[in-house]
Amino acid sequence: MGKRKIAILGSTGSIGRQALDVVSQHRDLFEVELLTANNSSELLIQQAKEFDVNNVVICNEAKYEEVADALQPEGIKVFAGMKSVCDLVRDGDIDIVLTAMVGFSGLESTVAAIEGGKAIALSNKETLVAAGSIVTRLAREHQVPLLPVDSEHSAIFQCLQGCGNNRISKIHLTASGGPFRTWTREQVAAATKEQALRHPNWSMGSKVTIDSSTMMNKGLEVIEAKWLFNVAPDDINVVVHPESIVHSMVEFADGAVIAQLGHPDMREPIQYALSYPVRLSLNNRKLDFAELAKLSFYAPDREKFPCLDLAFESIRKGGNMGCIMNAANEVAVAAYLRDEISFYGISDLVADTMAGVNFVAEPTLDDIFATNESAKQHAAALLKERKR
Ligand code: MG
């Protein structure tokens, strides 16, 4: 493959750091054109120097001077704010944009990158949850590939290579089950954030780790899969697989199931998205099947994890409901991390917000931004009432 110029949006987060690890192993194949971070100025400065980056954006404008003072003497251009991120990914000399920022904030810059004709390595799942119909239509119009980085979606994407025009009958989306898989509902109800943050298999940022403990993460991934692979929600089967070795599976009309396997290591799907369709070497742990011995699979406990059905409900409803659910979940997870609500306070707040915000059947992008604001306000107001 020829050298690829990449932009990493959210380079100081878990996915961003692992992406730079991938780049460091293939310096001859990747050139880092742009790094962006929300707040972590120190790490951003260090990364920009190490990878000899051309442009950086610090989204928090209060930290601009600190970053500029450190990097401008090195000949690195420094910008601040989300508008700069959008301008640079739309107009910059970039082949592929890795969208690894947290939450709804990833939508605006992803849209800008698509409008600029850049390939998208999609890690920010909230983009498709909130605006799947708009983002996938834009990607088609601009003939831009959406290359999944989420391990499950990368697995499905890999399972589909070489399948021609054969339609998917079913997607089997695997879930680790999170830290509370074997707990009773009563135990889960009293779970502290420290317990929820202890994920058994994957090391991730705090938002996605809490989402994994509620299984909202799997719900968001169901919606993401629907948009990426154009399958009906009823054809997406969530299966709990505690070992996290099978990263997901695709079933065809004849009942044949194709799976993608590996030890849990996000660098693998990140690298595949960045180098697609080429497979590069990776210094990860390889599978030893004799040592694995046993892989287990269970149906998810939908009573214990109500967020899963909330996600199915939102995708069946369509319109702006995914956006409402996602906004409420962002507010609820932040409140849980501040110890303001209990574990089931998260799903309660999401359900009540979904019931309380105006439904729009065919939203525009502006409607989505407005919905995100009103859903957040609605959730925050409910939260305030509950704290009293
Ligand atoms: Mg995942």
Side-chain angles (χ1 to χ4, degrees), residues 11 39 45 47 56 75-76 163 168 191 282 292 305 320 343 373:
S11 66
N39 230 352
I45 290 165
Q47 290 174 336
V56 305
I76 299 170
C163 288
I168 298 171
L282 184 64
L292 279 178
F305 301 110
N320 64 342
F343 188 79
E373 282 310 310

Side-chain angles (χ1 to χ4, degrees), residues 157-177:
F157 184 64
Q158 293 180 55
C159 291
L160 291 173
Q161 302 304 312
C163 288
N165 291 325
N166 288 298
R167 279 203 54 231
I168 298 171
S169 319
K170 224 177 206 0
I171 282 174
H172 299 280
L173 197 69
T174 53
S176 70

Side-chain angles (χ1 to χ4, degrees), residues 138-155:
L138 267 180
R140 273 195 306 277
E141 281 170 15
H142 291 271
Q143 297 181 0
V144 156
L146 298 176
L147 302 159
V149 168
D150 212 344
S151 62
E152 295 79 359
H153 305 76
S154 175

Side-chain angles (χ1 to χ4, degrees), residues 136 221 378:
T136 50
E221 289 180 356
H378 192 93

Side-chain angles (χ1 to χ4, degrees), residues 153-163 248-250 252 257-261 279:
H153 305 76
S154 175
I156 295 160
F157 184 64
Q158 293 180 55
C159 291
L160 291 173
Q161 302 304 312
C163 288
S248 278
M249 302 172 267
V250 176
F252 293 94
V257 175
I258 298 186
Q260 188 263 327
L261 286 72
R279 286 190 186 272

Side-chain angles (χ1 to χ4, degrees), residues 97-108:
V97 176
L98 173 63
T99 65
M101 43 319 213
V102 178
F104 182 84
S105 69
L107 176 60
E108 202 180 346

Side-chain angles (χ1 to χ4, degrees), residues 31-78:
E31 189 178 328
V32 185
E33 180 66 23
L34 167 68
L35 295 178
T36 80
N38 195 23
N39 230 352
S40 305
S41 46
E42 249 176 74
L43 182 55
L44 180 67
I45 290 165
Q46 189 193 317
Q47 290 174 336
K49 287 182 179 169
E50 186 182 340
F51 289 88
D52 195 18
V53 169
N54 292 325
N55 300 285
V56 305
V57 183
I58 180 83
C59 291
N60 180 352
E61 306 196 5
K63 297 206 167 176
Y64 171 76
E65 253 174 75
E66 178 198 342
V67 179
D69 287 350
L71 295 180
Q72 276 170 347
E74 314 264 329
I76 299 170
K77 294 197 192 91
V78 179

Side-chain angles (χ1 to χ4, degrees), residues 89-369:
V89 294
R90 191 187 295 106
D91 305 324
D93 182 15
I94 295 163
D95 298 310
I96 182 161
V97 176
L98 173 63
T99 65
M101 43 319 213
V102 178
F104 182 84
S105 69
L107 176 60
E108 202 180 346
S109 50
T110 304
V111 166
I114 293 173
E115 287 171 347
K118 312 300 193 296
I120 306 292
L122 188 86
S123 170
N124 177 264
K125 61 190 83 178
E126 290 87 347
T127 299
L128 289 182
V129 171
S133 67
I134 297 166
V135 169
T136 50
R137 190 181 59 230
L138 267 180
R140 273 195 306 277
E141 281 170 15
H142 291 271
Q143 297 181 0
V144 156
L146 298 176
L147 302 159
V149 168
D150 212 344
S151 62
E152 295 79 359
H153 305 76
S154 175
I156 295 160
F157 184 64
Q158 293 180 55
C159 291
L160 291 173
Q161 302 304 312
C163 288
N165 291 325
N166 288 298
R167 279 203 54 231
I168 298 171
S169 319
K170 224 177 206 0
I171 282 174
H172 299 280
L173 197 69
T174 53
S176 70
F180 304 141
R181 182 178 59 87
T182 59
W183 292 31
T184 65
R185 198 180 196 282
E186 290 66 38
Q187 289 173 315
V188 175
T192 63
K193 71 177 180 208
E194 287 77 18
Q195 291 167 322
L197 284 169
R198 234 173 271 144
H199 195 279
N201 301 349
W202 296 95
S203 142
M204 307 174 287
S206 58
K207 164 70 166 52
V208 56
T209 305
I210 298 299
D211 284 345
S212 293
S213 73
T214 62
M215 287 196 81
M216 179 56 99
N217 182 55
K218 211 46 54 178
L220 300 177
E221 289 180 356
V222 167
I223 302 173
E224 190 185 7
K226 180 231 144 50
W227 290 115
L228 281 173
F229 306 109
N230 191 25
V231 284
D234 291 340
D235 294 333
I236 303 174
N237 174 43
V238 173
V239 58
V240 176
H241 168 47
E243 296 88 357
S244 295
I245 297 292
V246 177
H247 296 147
S248 278
M249 302 172 267
V250 176
E251 183 178 324
F252 293 94
D254 56 1
V257 175
I258 298 186
Q260 188 263 327
L261 286 72
H263 285 291
D265 185 337
M266 282 309 295
R267 294 175 308 157
E268 195 249 286
I270 292 168
Q271 177 169 289
Y272 190 66
L274 293 179
S275 68
Y276 173 79
V278 177
R279 286 190 186 272
L280 304 174
S281 63
L282 184 64
N283 67 344
N284 55 354
R285 185 174 160 215
K286 307 298 191 278
L287 285 178
D288 176 342
F289 283 89
E291 180 194 298
L292 279 178
K294 179 173 162 267
L295 298 176
S296 46
F297 301 91
Y298 312 87
D301 184 338
R302 307 183 99 98
E303 309 244 305
K304 204 162 77 180
F305 301 110
C307 284
L308 195 53
D309 280 339
L310 289 174
F312 272 98
E313 185 189 324
S314 95
I315 194 63
R316 288 195 183 101
K317 197 109 203 257
N320 64 342
M321 194 51 86
C323 179
I324 297 171
M325 181 189 77
N326 180 67
N329 185 56
E330 288 188 13
V331 172
V333 169
Y336 180 68
L337 286 172
R338 293 191 305 264
D339 295 316
E340 289 175 9
I341 53 174
S342 70
F343 188 79
Y344 285 118
I346 298 175
S347 46
D348 287 346
L349 192 68
V350 173
D352 294 345
T353 307
M354 284 169 70
V357 175
N358 272 348
F359 179 68
V360 182
E362 289 192 27
T364 62
L365 198 54
D366 286 342
D367 292 332
I368 292 296
F369 284 108

